[in-house]
């Protein structure tokens, strides 16, 4: 069962971190190059809305599989390695950042678009972009801890 939890955990990481890489380095530059704000902002809002739904599901999977792995280890009398605790701490920060994006900034962007207030929508999107960059850096740090952190244990 441990291998299944690890697999699910990794799939959720790939969806979240890989999605941030795609959105920031592929979708955003392409939209900037091809579309004007009246078309670009609704596209980004719609794409991000779909992505945030996937991230929400990934978070359930990440936290569920992570807790399951911690519980399984504890049930055998094992102690979690330092890298696991670091991953969990970084994941908690990333989760809070995601919640700010999905529950505060993205609704603000959608409301501004509905009111045809493009400057406000653009400002909300810029806030989302900044926090996605933060979460992307934290996600890469988490992957480094997961793969290279064995030297910490």
């Amino acid at each position: 069962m441990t291998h299944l939890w690890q697999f699910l955990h990794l799939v959720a990481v790939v969806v979240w971190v890989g999605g941030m890489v795609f959105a920031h380095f592929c979708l955003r530059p392409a939209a900037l190059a091809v579309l004007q704000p009246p078309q670009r902002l609704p596209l980004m809002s719609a794409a991000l809305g779909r992505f945030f739904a996937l991230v929400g599901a990934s978070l359930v999977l990440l936290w569920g599989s992570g807790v399951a792995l911690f519980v399984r280890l504890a049930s055998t009398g094992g102690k979690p390695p330092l890298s696991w605790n670091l991953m969990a701490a970084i994941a908690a920060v990333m989760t809070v950042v995601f919640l700010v994006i999905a529950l505060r900034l993205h609704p603000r962007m959608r409301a501004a678009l509905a009111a045809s207030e493009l400057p406000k929508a653009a400002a909300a999107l810029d806030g989302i972009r900044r926090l996605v960059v933060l979460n992307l850096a934290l996600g890469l740090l988490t992957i480094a801890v997961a793969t290279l952190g064995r030297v910490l244990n």
Side-chain angles (χ1 to χ4, degrees), residues 71-92:
V71 167
R72 174 135 171 93
L73 182 64
S75 72
T76 62
K79 180 182 173 194
L82 177 60
S83 60
W84 285 27
N85 291 309
L86 288 172
M87 282 189 287
I90 298 168

Side-chain angles (χ1 to χ4, degrees), residues 9-119:
H9 201 77
L10 186 57
V11 166
V13 169
V14 167
V15 167
W16 192 3
V17 176
M20 288 188 292
V21 168
F22 171 77
H24 188 72
F25 293 106
C26 301
L27 177 61
R28 180 179 174 273
L32 282 168
V34 175
L35 301 172
Q36 293 301 312
Q39 294 81 35
R40 180 174 61 240
L41 292 168
L43 169 70
M44 293 301 292
S45 181
L48 290 172
R50 286 176 169 79
F51 175 58
F52 297 156
L54 286 174
V55 173
S58 292
L59 279 171
V60 170
L61 201 52
L62 273 169
W63 283 106
S65 59
V67 167
L69 289 165
F70 268 95
V71 167
R72 174 135 171 93
L73 182 64
S75 72
T76 62
K79 180 182 173 194
L82 177 60
S83 60
W84 285 27
N85 291 309
L86 288 172
M87 282 189 287
I90 298 168
V93 173
M94 289 179 70
T95 300
V96 170
V97 170
F98 169 73
L99 291 173
V100 169
I101 292 169
L103 301 178
R104 183 172 160 212
L105 294 176
H106 191 244
R108 187 179 296 164
M109 180 184 184
R110 286 195 328 258
L113 285 170
S116 297
E117 296 174 334
L118 295 183

